[in-house]
């Protein structure tokens, strides 16, 4: 068997096309364009790439955006007062603080400072809590994008065994909630594995759907998966590569060559999950502008 490719780039474009149409429709009714405020603390190269991709996508769909770049020495107090000003500003629909933050700042404290009604990343405990109880909320963009991929390719999730490797607040945990909840697209039996899991393979080998979100280059090998599994690779790891001009290459959490021979479906890196994260952010920002989740 050789896996079929899940083309995240193509599906993300479809999502963005829909958002662009909806933004135009919204504006044609006399509303201003949706506005996303991005906050970038420090100059982490990967974070710059990610926020750049988000800004470009905003331009593409007609969402206005501004990136506020702050020095990595900024105090928590200063950063929070900047966020609070955006909370109060009616011309700002969505606020996104790019993570990770410098180590002297608590990402929990910073995220909780964002008004949950503007938390288009879906990271605020109010949104995570509402996700957990199946209530309308902003859904974390990467797992929401993965659910969208299942829907697009009609990959069944209900009653399957889904195994999520990695329990981060950004991907693994909300992914497991989305897969397991009784909402329209979840209903899977779900296992979460993490760095304390004993014998990872014992779990991954029984997965019908395997989500690799551990941040470990090529952690998942062919021999760790079941024949015919659906494998979603969330990893984007920079590993040294002297043959590349940049001096590094990007690899996922999945050993693509060995896994694709056994899987039924697989996401490539790049071009799999990454573009979906950005597309879902566009969708959330439009929802914020329309106050669809939290009406006034
Ligand atoms: N860092 C890695 N992924 C994300 C994301 O989806 N949103 C934010 N704000 N930071 C991230």
């Amino acid at each position: 068997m050789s896996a079929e490719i899940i083309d995240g780039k193509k599906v993300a474009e479809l999502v963005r096309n829909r958002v662009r149409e909806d933004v135009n429709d919204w504006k044609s009714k006399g509303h201003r364009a949706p506005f996303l405020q991005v906050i970038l603390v420090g100059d982490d190269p990967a974070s710059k790439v990610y926020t750049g991709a988000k800004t470009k996508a905003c331009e593409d769909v007609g969402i206005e955006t501004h990136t506020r770049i702050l020095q990595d020495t900024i105090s928590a107090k200063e950063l929070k007062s900047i966020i609070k000003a955006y909370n109060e500003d009616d011309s700002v629909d969505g606020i996104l603080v790019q993570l990770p933050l410098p180590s002297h700042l608590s990402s929990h404290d910073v995220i909780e400072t964002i008004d949950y009604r503007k938390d288009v990343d879906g990271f605020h405990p109010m949104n995570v809590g509402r996700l957990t109880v199946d209530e309308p909320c902003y859904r974390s963009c990467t797992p929401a994008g993965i659910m969208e991929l299942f829907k697009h390719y009609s990959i069944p999730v209900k009653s399957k065994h889904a195994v999520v490797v990695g329990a981060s607040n950004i991907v693994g945990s909300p992914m497991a909630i989305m897969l397991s909840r009784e909402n329209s697209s979840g209903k899977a039996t779900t296992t979460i594995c993490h760095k304390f899991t004993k014998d990872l393979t014992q779990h991954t080998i029984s997965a019908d759907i395997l989500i690799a979100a551990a941040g470990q280059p090529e952690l998942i090998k062919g021999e760790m998966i079941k024949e015919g599994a659906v494998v979603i690779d969330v990893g984007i790891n920079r590993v040294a590569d002297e043959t590349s001009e940049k001096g590094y290459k990007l690899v996922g959490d999945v050993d693509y060559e060995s896994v694709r021979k056994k899987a039924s479906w697989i996401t490539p890196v790049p071009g799999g999950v990454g573009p979906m994260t950005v597309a879902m952010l566009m969708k959330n920002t439009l929802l914020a502008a329309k106050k669809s989740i939290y009406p006034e």
Side-chain angles (χ1 to χ4, degrees):
M1 179 181 274
S2 185
E4 293 201 62
I5 308 290
I6 295 178
D7 188 347
K9 221 172 139 187
K10 187 184 86 183
V11 182
E13 200 180 319
L14 297 175
V15 173
R16 287 208 316 267
N17 290 347
R18 228 180 300 140
V19 173
R20 190 185 307 105
E21 279 172 27
D22 288 356
V23 166
N24 283 336
D25 184 51
W26 178 246
K27 288 198 271 192
S28 74
K29 290 181 178 144
H31 301 285
R32 60 164 175 75
F35 185 89
L36 174 66
Q37 181 64 51
V38 176
I39 299 172
L40 176 59
V41 184
D43 58 1
D44 175 63
S47 289
K48 277 192 194 165
V49 172
Y50 298 145
T51 53
K54 290 169 187 178
T55 308
K56 217 171 127 211
C58 282
E59 283 162 12
D60 176 51
V61 300
I63 290 176
E64 290 190 4
T65 184
H66 174 255
T67 301
R68 176 107 174 236
I69 300 172
L70 301 168
Q71 297 229 321
D72 62 4
T73 51
I74 192 166
S75 68
K77 198 170 165 210
E78 276 175 285
L79 177 56
K80 287 186 195 175
S81 83
I82 288 168
I83 293 170
K84 284 177 188 163
Y86 292 134
N87 285 344
E88 297 301 318
D89 185 342
D90 286 342
S91 65
V92 172
D93 298 306
I95 303 170
L96 179 152
V97 178
Q98 186 64 29
L99 302 177
L101 290 169
S103 56
H104 69 282
L105 297 169
S106 153
S107 55
H108 291 291
D109 280 357
V110 170
I111 287 165
E112 284 197 53
T113 307
I114 299 172
D115 184 333
Y116 66 89
R117 292 164 297 189
K118 298 190 177 189
D119 167 41
V120 287
D121 258 329
F123 294 166
H124 190 286
M126 178 65 123
N127 285 309
V128 180
R130 288 176 67 94
L131 177 72
T132 309
V133 293
D134 258 351
E135 283 293 307
C137 60
Y138 293 110
R139 300 191 315 154
S140 180
C141 299
T142 302
I146 293 169
M147 297 307 284
E148 190 73 23
L149 289 173
F150 294 147
K151 194 165 126 196
H152 178 86
Y153 286 97
S154 303
I155 293 172
V157 176
K158 186 177 164 188
S159 303
K160 298 291 179 190
H161 183 207
V163 175
V164 182
V165 182
S168 73
N169 292 336
I170 294 181
V171 184
S173 296
M175 181 82 259
I177 295 166
M178 286 179 211
L179 285 164
S180 60
R181 289 305 302 183
E182 264 196 60
N183 61 21
S184 57
S185 47
K187 306 180 184 74
T189 303
T190 306
T191 302
I192 312 179
C193 301
H194 42 63
K195 54 181 175 288
F196 302 107
T197 298
K198 286 184 191 164
D199 189 2
L200 181 61
T201 302
Q202 178 205 328
H203 301 283
T204 58
I205 200 89
S206 72
D208 303 306
I209 296 171
L210 180 63
I211 314 279
Q216 297 279 331
E218 300 179 332
L219 171 71
I220 305 296
K221 313 281 183 201
E223 66 262 26
M224 294 169 70
I225 74 154
K226 179 156 94 174
E227 193 83 38
V230 176
V231 179
I232 306 294
D233 190 352
V234 182
I236 311 179
N237 308 290
R238 289 185 179 202
V239 297
D241 177 16
E242 282 160 19
T243 64
S244 135
E245 247 179 54
K246 293 177 185 163
Y248 68 87
K249 64 174 177 175
L250 294 178
V251 300
D253 285 5
V254 170
D255 176 24
Y256 191 81
E257 280 314 309
S258 65
V259 169
R260 83 181 167 86
K261 293 187 186 117
K262 277 177 88 181
S264 58
W265 291 94
I266 192 167
T267 57
V269 175
V273 171
M276 291 304 293
T277 300
V278 179
M280 298 314 279
L281 175 67
M282 301 299 107
K283 207 169 161 179
N284 281 353
T285 305
L286 175 62
L287 290 173
K290 293 169 105 171
K291 302 195 168 30
S292 305
I293 309 266
Y294 300 111
E296 283 185 323

